[in-house]
């Protein structure tokens, strides 16, 4: 009887594995075929979204999307499967959240509200997004479906809350908030908005959190040293580490999919540039450009992003039907070995 149960589990695991693999193959067919960084910047034809190959320093940028007029999009984030990019920009009188596919087609406005809607963040399932909005008269973090149907207000606090970033397992959201302060700290809450905790609690401003793909680290922008710098920390706020240099403003830190590097947008003297730093912090005070600090490409001013995607690091996300917990390949592979 026990052997039969184990065999059944193995069969079920095999079906789940093959089904997820098939879905993954379909998704990857429309995703970039190599490691790609999306940035929003100005170009010869105006403002838009550009794709950069991080392995080709000074290799140029491919324009993915042109935005009419002169708004600069921001809050870029690839969908978990790499088939879409969500972002915000101002078209007309309002700032709204948009989505475009990975080849620049299918541009769609997800929000259409007189309020400011910005900073979209994908849930790891790809089925919904968190975003920042002031539609209640105060900056709050809401969720919506991937088609733009607003679901709920997660923060509902009188202090401004912004910059949501979903953890890779879908259980937590890091965000920036001024709760009890006149400047922002990086906070964390559970996926339903409960149990908020201040992770940084510093007199210098801390904003723009993003997660490493394994969920072990959070990168964020800090001004505690003057100009904006990229730092990392554990999800409980411990092990703070400076990553980027001190000479100019650096914003929007984003982990590489393998966690070994962090991309930032460099601001100085009316210019912007995409830089990549090692995430171990060993070159945080380097002022040179070139290995190990890659000066990837000069950008137009202003610029925003970056958003990093690598097809080799796509991990299928599924949910247990009994307790709604995210499942991973590790769980699937070990299920057949349970006794």
């Amino acid at each position: 009887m026990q052997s039969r149960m184990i065999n059944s589990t193995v069969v079920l695991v095999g079906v789940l594995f093959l089904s997820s693999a098939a879905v993954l193959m379909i998704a990857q067919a429309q995703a970039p075929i190599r490691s790609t960084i999306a940035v929003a910047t100005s170009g010869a034809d105006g403002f838009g979204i550009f794709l950069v190959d991080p392995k080709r320093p000074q290799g140029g940028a491919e324009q993915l999307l042109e935005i009419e007029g002169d708004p600069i999009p921001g809050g870029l984030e690839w969908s978990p499967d790499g088939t879409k990019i969500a972002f915000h920009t101002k078209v007309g009188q309002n700032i709204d959240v948009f989505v475009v596919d990975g080849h620049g087609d299918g541009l769609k406005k997800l929000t259409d509200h007189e309020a400011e809607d910005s900073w979209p963040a994908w849930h790891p399932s790809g089925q919904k997004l968190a975003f920042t909005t002031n539609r209640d008269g105060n900056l709050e973090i809401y969720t919506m479906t991937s088609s733009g149907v607003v679901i709920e207000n997660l923060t509902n606090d009188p202090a401004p809350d912004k910059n949501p970033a979903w953890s890779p397992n879908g259980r937590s959201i890091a965000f920036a908030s001024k709760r009890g302060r006149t400047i922002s700290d990086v906070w964390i809450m559970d996926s339903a908005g409960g149990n908020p905790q201040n992770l940084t609690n510093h007199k210098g401003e801390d904003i723009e959190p993003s997660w490493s793909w394994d969920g072990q680290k959070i990168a964020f922008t800090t001004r505690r040293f003057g100009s904006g710098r990229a730092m990392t920390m554990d999800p409980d706020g411990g092990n703070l580490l400076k990553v980027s240099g001190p000479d100019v403003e650096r914003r929007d830190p984003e982990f590489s999919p393998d966690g070994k590097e962090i991309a930032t947008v460099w601001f100085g003297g009316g210019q912007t540039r995409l830089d990549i730093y090692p995430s171990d912090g060993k070159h945080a005070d380097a002022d040179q450009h070139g290995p190990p600090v890659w000066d990837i490409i000069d950008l137009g001013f202003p610029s925003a992003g970056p958003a990093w995607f690598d097809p080799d690091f796509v991990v299928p996300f599924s949910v247990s039907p009994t307790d709604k917990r995210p499942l991973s390949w590790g769980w699937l592979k070990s299920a057949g070995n349970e006794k």
Side-chain angles (χ1 to χ4, degrees), residues 32 60 111 131 201 258 277 288 294 329:
T111 64
F131 67 104
N201 196 25
D258 63 9
Y277 277 81
Q288 81 279 6
W294 286 110
W329 285 130

Side-chain angles (χ1 to χ4, degrees), residues 122-153:
W122 292 94
H123 184 273
S125 68
Q127 299 303 305
K128 60 181 178 180
L129 302 95
F131 67 104
T132 303
T133 182
N134 62 355
R135 58 184 61 199
D136 285 338
N138 176 50
L139 287 177
E140 303 281 6
I141 296 172
Y142 276 61
T143 56
M144 63 177 162
T145 67
S146 59
S147 61
V149 178
V150 173
I151 303 173
E152 61 181 329
N153 181 345

